[in-house]
Amino acid sequence: DQQVKQNSPSLSVQEGRISILNCDYTNSMFDYFLWYKKYPAEGPTFLISISSIKDKNEDGRFTVFLNKSAKHLSLHIVPSQPGDSAVYFCAASAMYRDDKIIFGKGTRLHILP
Amino acid sequence: DGGITQSPKYLFRKEGQNVTLSCEQNLNHDAMYWYRQDPGQGLRLIYYSQIVNDFQKGDIAEGYSVSREKKESFPLTVTSAQKNPTAFYLCASSSGQGYGYTFGSGTRLTVV
């Protein structure tokens, strides 16, 4: 039973446009959410996170939105650049219960020239 | 520089042989994790350890073994019992506070 779901295996976006990656979760105990970016043959790197007490967190071109009632979060990348082409993993944890982070299956983002 | 190191980057193994993947961290993190990545499967947890001399099975532990004799080191052995060992293996560590993991650069294991 997947607790963190990324329903789009891949997404193609024109360079300069907005990329929106979506993620849904089922466990209401999750209170901390993260996005990781992964290039082929490399380990994932941390991108941005959000605590459940917030509904938005911004870092440069990256913004994460959290809708707790819908158990949904999204990552917005504006403007999209060629170097953003990678696999993006959504992840969640219940910080005060367990350190384990649950990952989604990932979305492969292609930025088109 | 603090970080987490996995070696080797590429590893080839003959069927029926055990092989050990190395993972070392100098971040003073208490918790360490092993994941496996297969195409379309995301990251699947093999084993994790939250403290020295203690570890727990993850979702796909069969055919794998680990040890945690030192805080800095969490080696993973892929045994001959693992049916489909060819994959990309990732090691991670964390401070144990739920703020996220630091990942190594991975080891690609190929069974020939």
Side-chain angles (χ1 to χ4, degrees):
Chain A
D1 182 31
Q2 270 188 278
Q3 297 185 67
V4 177
K5 300 178 188 179
Q6 294 178 257
N7 291 320
S8 299
S10 68
L11 176 68
S12 295
V13 173
Q14 208 76 35
E15 183 179 351
R17 299 284 186 105
I18 182 171
S19 295
I20 300 176
L21 292 88
N22 293 303
C23 178
D24 298 295
Y25 62 96
T26 57
N27 189 340
S28 57
M29 299 298 294
F30 287 148
D31 54 11
Y32 194 69
F33 304 90
L34 312 95
W35 285 94
Y36 283 82
K37 175 180 180 179
K38 186 184 180 300
Y39 293 119
E42 293 184 13
T45 54
F46 170 76
L47 196 56
I48 193 169
S49 63
I50 187 166
S51 163
S52 59
I53 62 172
K54 292 186 167 185
D55 53 20
K56 176 183 172 182
N57 189 26
E58 198 170 346
D59 183 3
R61 296 186 299 114
F62 303 93
T63 303
V64 56
F65 295 92
L66 175 63
N67 182 334
K68 279 185 295 183
S69 60
K71 293 193 176 71
H72 177 82
L73 62 153
S74 60
L75 174 68
H76 292 212
I77 307 173
V78 182
S80 299
Q81 297 175 353
D84 296 331
S85 293
V87 175
Y88 290 79
F89 290 101
C90 173
S93 70
M95 275 177 64
Y96 297 105
R97 288 189 64 203
D98 191 320
D99 178 54
K100 270 197 301 178
I101 293 177
I102 309 299
F103 289 87
K105 291 191 173 184
T107 296
R108 182 175 298 279
L109 177 63
H110 300 270
I111 303 302
L112 306 169
Chain B
D1 275 345
I4 182 165
T5 302
Q6 288 185 244
S7 60
K9 182 86 174 164
Y10 299 96
L11 191 56
F12 295 88
R13 184 197 96 177
K14 288 186 179 178
E15 244 182 272
Q17 288 181 337
N18 291 355
V19 63
T20 297
L21 283 61
S22 168
C23 178
E24 304 276 332
Q25 54 100 358
N26 60 4
L27 298 165
N28 200 34
H29 283 170
D30 287 314
M32 296 186 76
Y33 307 81
W34 274 105
Y35 285 88
R36 167 180 172 143
Q37 186 190 16
D38 296 284
Q41 294 288 332
L43 302 176
R44 294 187 290 169
L45 182 63
I46 304 172
Y47 266 98
Y48 64 104
S49 167
Q50 292 179 312
I51 198 166
V52 175
N53 292 324
D54 187 43
F55 49 82
Q56 284 81 41
K57 292 181 179 180
D59 302 318
I60 55 164
E62 187 175 345
Y64 299 98
S65 66
V66 292
S67 62
R68 187 85 188 279
E69 295 173 6
K70 298 187 301 181
K71 188 175 186 177
E72 301 80 20
S73 179
F74 191 41
L76 173 75
T77 298
V78 185
T79 75
S80 55
Q82 168 50 232
K83 299 271 187 274
N84 293 298
T86 294
F88 189 59
Y89 290 88
L90 285 160
C91 180
S93 69
S94 79
S95 60
Q97 312 241 330
Y99 284 108
Y101 299 167
T102 301
F103 282 89
S105 57
T107 293
R108 179 161 297 282
L109 172 65
T110 303
V111 174
V112 296

